[in-house]
Structures are given as C-alpha cells and as structure tokens.
Amino acid sequence: MSDLRIATCTFQEFRPDMGTPVRTTAGGVRFPLSYKLAGHAKLVTPAWSLVQQARKGMAADAYEFMYRRQLTDAGLDRIRAELLAIAGANDLDAPVVLLCFDKLGVPGNWCHRTHFAKFWSEQTGEEVPELGAVFRETHRQGGLW
C-alpha cells in the first residue's frame, strides 16, 4: 500500500500538530479557523442528498449503508490517490486528518467520519483514529502511531 496515515477530527478540535487538515463536508466552513485547510477530499465527502437525509433523522445504519456504497463506488485506489495528492502537496509525513463538524465526544454521536474510519480499516487493515474528544485520552496513553 503506502505510508499514508489517516485520522479524523472536527474542525473545532483540530490543532496543526495533529497533521494535515482536510475538509470532508459537503458545505464549507462558515466560521473562522485558526489554521488553513490543505484541501477537500471530495471522494470521502458524503453526497449532498445523503447529508439532507441525515438531517431529517436517518438512522445510522441506513446512512452507513448508503455512504459505504458511495465509498465503494469511488474505490479505495481513487480515495487513496486523492488523499495522497493532498498530503503530497503539503506534508507527506504528517497524517491526513479528515475533518467535519460533528463532535463525537457525546456517547451515541456518529457521523460520516465514524463510518469512513470503520470502512477504511475493514478494507485496508489500517487504523483510522479519531483525534477529537478521544484524542486527549489517547494522547495521554502515549500517542496514536
């Protein structure tokens, strides 16, 4: 495969020392960020129709099924190539951190980051850690990689 490392986080909780910040949202960020986004991972971004269904209360399992179909259609090779291109234009040695708005520190919360991480790990065997609310606890235990 490659040395590409992928992690996930929220726009709000991301810090530059975590890696290369990459947008994965259908809509842009409407608040100021203290860092510059390195790119937009369009193949990982949920389709707008899926976002709209989620806003209407779509169940997590139904969302995951449809989102996985989108990821499968895009293909692992194309997704990896897109992420490597973003990483290569920035810092190839830093993890690519896929960002969205949803905070996962509340039990039961989920978003496409959760589903992407599960999908990617199952398909590639590569861990995709969440760096948001979970990062503080994991960081105290000695790091992620």
Side-chain angles (χ1 to χ4, degrees):
M1 290 287 186
S2 73
D3 291 330
L4 177 68
R5 292 181 294 152
I6 304 170
T8 63
C9 195
T10 64
F11 290 112
Q12 303 93 318
E13 296 171 298
F14 177 82
R15 296 186 324 266
D17 66 326
M18 292 177 174
T20 302
V22 178
R23 179 180 140 209
T24 68
T25 56
V29 182
R30 295 184 181 162
F31 50 84
L33 297 173
S34 61
Y35 54 89
K36 183 178 180 198
L37 292 171
H40 180 193
K42 295 177 182 176
L43 296 174
V44 175
T45 299
W48 183 244
S49 60
L50 190 53
V51 172
Q52 290 175 317
Q53 290 179 53
R55 287 182 178 168
K56 293 178 183 175
M58 176 183 235
D61 58 345
Y63 182 98
E64 182 176 16
F65 176 81
M66 294 178 70
Y67 182 58
R68 279 177 172 261
R69 182 182 301 164
Q70 176 184 322
L71 295 172
T72 300
D73 288 349
L76 290 175
D77 291 340
R78 286 182 59 219
I79 294 170
R80 186 179 297 276
E82 180 180 55
L83 297 177
L84 277 170
I86 294 169
N90 293 277
D91 181 356
L92 196 53
D93 294 327
V96 171
V97 184
L98 306 179
L99 303 175
C100 81
F101 301 104
D102 300 302
K103 291 187 178 181
L104 301 177
V106 177
N109 275 9
W110 60 271
C111 74
H112 73 281
R113 295 192 326 265
T114 310
H115 298 311
F116 174 81
K118 183 177 171 186
F119 171 84
W120 191 263
S121 293
E122 288 172 2
Q123 299 297 313
T124 67
E126 299 166 12
E127 181 184 359
V128 180
E130 168 61 35
L131 304 181
V134 178
F135 176 78
R136 288 162 193 69
E137 190 62 35
T138 306
H139 185 66
R140 277 188 242 135
Q141 295 172 4
L144 298 170
W145 287 284

